[in-house]
Amino acid sequence: MNRLAYDDVVLAAPHSVPYIRYSNDPAHYWAAKGLKGTLDAAGLRPDQIDGFSVASFTLFPDSAVGLTQHLGLCPRWLDNIPMGGASGIVALRRAARAVQAGDADIVACVGADTNQIDSFRKLLTAFSRFAMDASYPYGAGGPNANFALITDRYMAEYGATREDFGHIAVAQRANALRNPDALMKTPLTLEQYIAARPVADPIALFDCVMPCAGAEAFLVMREDEAQRRGLPFARIDATIERHNAFPDDPVQLRGGWAMDVDQLWQMADCAPSDMDLVQTYDDYPVISVMQFEDLGFCAKGEGAAFLRARDLTITGDLPHNTNGGQLSAGQAGAAGGYIGLVEAIRQVTRTAGPTQVGDASRALVSGFGMINYDRGVCSAAAVLTGGAS
Amino acid sequence: MTDPLQPPPKKNPQVRSPLAHLPPVPRSRAALGLTARAAEGRFALQQCADCGAVQYPPRDACRVCLSTDLPWRDQPPMGALIAETTIRISPDLYFRDRMPWRMGTVRLASGVSVLCHLHGDVRKGPVRLILRLDRAGQGVIMALPEQEGPDMADDPQLRELGADPKHRRVLITDARAPTTRALVRALLDAGAATVFVGEAEPWRRWPGRDALAAMDRVEIVPLDLTDSASVREAAGTLGGKTDILINNAAFLRPGGLLERSDTVFAQQELEVNYLGLMRLAQGFGPMMHARGGDGVNSAAAWVNILSAHALAADPAHAGYSAASAAALSLTQSLRAEMRGGGVRVMTVLTGPPDDEWHAEIPPPKVAPRALARALVDGLQRGLEEVACGDVARDLVERWQRDAKVLERELAEGAGR
Amino acid sequence: MTALQTLAAALATGAVEVVDLTHTLDPDFPVIVLPPEFGQCARFRMEEVSAYDHRGPSWKWHNISMSEHTGTHFDAPVHWITGRDRPNSAVDEIAPENFVGPVCVIDCSQGAAEDEDFELTPDIIAEWEGIHGRIPADSWVLMRTDWSKRRGAEYLNLREDGAHSPGPTPEAMRILVHDRHIRGFGTETVGTDAGQGMHYTPPFPAHHTLHGAGRYGLQCLAGLDRLPPTGAMLLAAPLKIRNGTGSPLRVLALVPGKDAT
């Protein structure tokens, strides 16, 4: 059965709370900042939303439930998305269907996390049961070690080089220099990338994101609601979501996108080449390469060559992670699952300011989350188109 | 090739002794199954009883058919290293002290991928996996080269997964025990730096003392497990340089419960086998606990040699079985407390030794050399439980299968 | 002056001195060793209960344990099979006047130094009496060997054929007990009998004869070289243990002071 189109459901009021490296404030503070930001952008009061979706690693012992009372919300539809890097797109999918079905009129989607001194270590220690049992005790490298293994295997299998990954990181840094809220503020050369301090071979410093505190948020509503409020909006052309794909692959060299990519483009009724920009989930460059492959931009194993031949900066032929992505803007926990999506909404609504890609109207956003043991389990993607207000 | 481990330099008295950080401790209940198998020295993974699929990481339901019947089964330990990394930065204090740290992904023929520690000689390709206890006492998997190499045990990551006597100082608590001579020899052969041997009641002469005292790297020291003051003094003298403590003291007199109308032997059995262990633990335990991170010759292991009848009583040795059971129980508590210091506690369960107190028991019996070999092997592999001798292995197996049935079997012939 | 006033004065002036004939109760002090299938004499043991600490803030004390026959100790008649039916044969039944009395010391130290199995024989008794007079009835007789100065394994002097230490012959014991009617017999060794005493007929003649006649034994005495052959007073009171066969002792002797006239 074909997927039901999202018809007149739209995304609006993207808001990014500027990231900071460490924060003494808890996740509740950041979630509130994110929510207020998106409501302000739409000119709404808290009591005017009736749906609320939250993604956060550091809310414990609370969840979305605790936040309703904490923030004084009274939604008739509530969601808590524990999917890390896939949480933005998954939130979008859930919220869009709720609005489409009339279970909610306006859903606020928020990804927020704090980063206190040592909270990253604590998060790693008990990230998941399999990680606690079978990954963290082996050197406690966290995701660096996991992605080192994936990168090592990818390089051996497909002949990709560190220069190929550096090409991605260097371009994103160039983009980040135009984003005043990016944590990284100095240019990065390929030489610097190659010479950087090794972290977990072959991963080095500039392959890694910087954990930080921050929040990202947007609203989901019907198109007429956005029109009525005069809000720029993005339409949802297609989305996919997949979990624990290809479990028998010895090492993860592909993600769940590869299972659903045909349906994605069929539903969107367009092709990768139609994209004005791409926002991949970029906690490490290797996973961005995989997304280009698995989402149909090139064949498996050819991602490095494909990207090497392209200019990934805002002004290039394939703008990628236009706000600098997590590699250069920072990774604010579960907000890292929102950063590309929120930036993509800004791009297709032409509200991205200094990082705006000239005439962007179509964007692919991809999410990837949760290294449960040896690989990321959740994958998701969405094609967005700018709507006229 | 592994570089041979060098003897540690003398300690710099102006430098604080390193703290015994532990690798990550938390585990799910299912993963503790891995720890339990490691404690026994097996390489076993969960395997679905219904569909046969091998599972990893440990879990509660089959990844193929959702069966919840996932017994632990020994697995072929061969696999292929398909991805590797050298971790150079970790927020964990234990690994931070030991950077860089190699780990990788090994694919087993059974279709599971295992993240594991890597021996320094391992390269991509075929490897042999071992399941061992790490310094936190948790089961972990490590890949070794397919072929044994010289000085392979000296690999720093592998050495963390055992309590190799090499360059370590060992205390054997009872010089007079029939096992002592063989233990000393085996430990010296394994590279122990010094073997201290405790002697109680020096006012009683005993054969073999002169020969033992004349051995190179052997020192006879006063130690009487039944005397709190003696243990305290010995701990005060030797506690700071006892890296491995082997408690081989035992007192037993054969006999059923109803044969005697007194508790004289039972008291002595408790004094030596149970309270002696407690005195040792209170004397030496704290200092060993504090030295678990002290470099090449850190405190590493505590070994109790106990009768396998600690598990299930031999009615013909009623008091001794009870005292052994008490000691086994105390050993478990000791293990729990020593874990924080990264010091292993190993139990060697033996069958009947070939001594005057088991004269009426038919063979097979445990020869001292066999015991010594099993004990040193257990130290090198970092085991928690070693059953030494056919009788002990048989008893442990029967006990694991059905303790009540074993009790009835052992009761045969008693009380006639 | 009464006799006690005189004694008090003599103690005060040093005309009478108090000598301690007791070994320190120490976990390392040897006890008799029997074949291992027999129950053994418990060694002295001491467990600290508290020491002005969390286990008892203002006080220090120990629990101690030992055999009735540990350290310097008293043997009551009931200790031996020959004495089991004697009246008043347990330590709690013995009349207290038996715990204080005159003492004769037979010096066998030179012989014991030359022969570890040195025997106290009737001849030696006769020789001693030739010098010091007949042993008075109801007096203690102590065999001085200076064995108490031995340390470690030299004390029990155990070898594969058993212990080797001096002691009395059966005939010597017969004379002391049945002819001289002594109150008891004491030694500096671990037992009243010789190390090889089991090979006599009867075995362990000191125990056999003494206790069969309702007399007492003292063993593991220390420093008998500080006693005169005669003229000292021995104080050896066992603990009042119900049905006790013996008891650790603090053995004291009153001896003429250096300035005694």
Side-chain angles (χ1 to χ4, degrees), chain A residues 35-36 39-40 44-51 71-75:
Chain A
L35 177 61
K36 182 157 196 317
L39 293 181
D40 285 352
L44 289 165
R45 295 186 313 274
D47 62 1
Q48 289 176 296
I49 58 166
D50 56 358
L71 304 180
L73 304 177
C74 180

Side-chain angles (χ1 to χ4, degrees), chain B residues 201 205 226-228 253 279, chain C residues 27 36 43 45 47 158:
Chain B
E201 302 185 352
R205 295 196 182 99
T226 67
D227 176 7
S228 299
R253 293 294 178 265
R279 292 186 185 100
Chain C
R43 288 77 171 138
R45 290 293 182 260
E47 294 289 343
L158 279 168

Side-chain angles (χ1 to χ4, degrees), chain A residues 154 157-160 253 289 293-294 298-306:
Chain A
Y154 186 92
E157 191 78 21
Y158 300 122
L253 297 178
V289 178
E293 293 169 347
D294 296 343
C298 60
K300 189 72 215 165
E302 290 173 6
F306 171 82

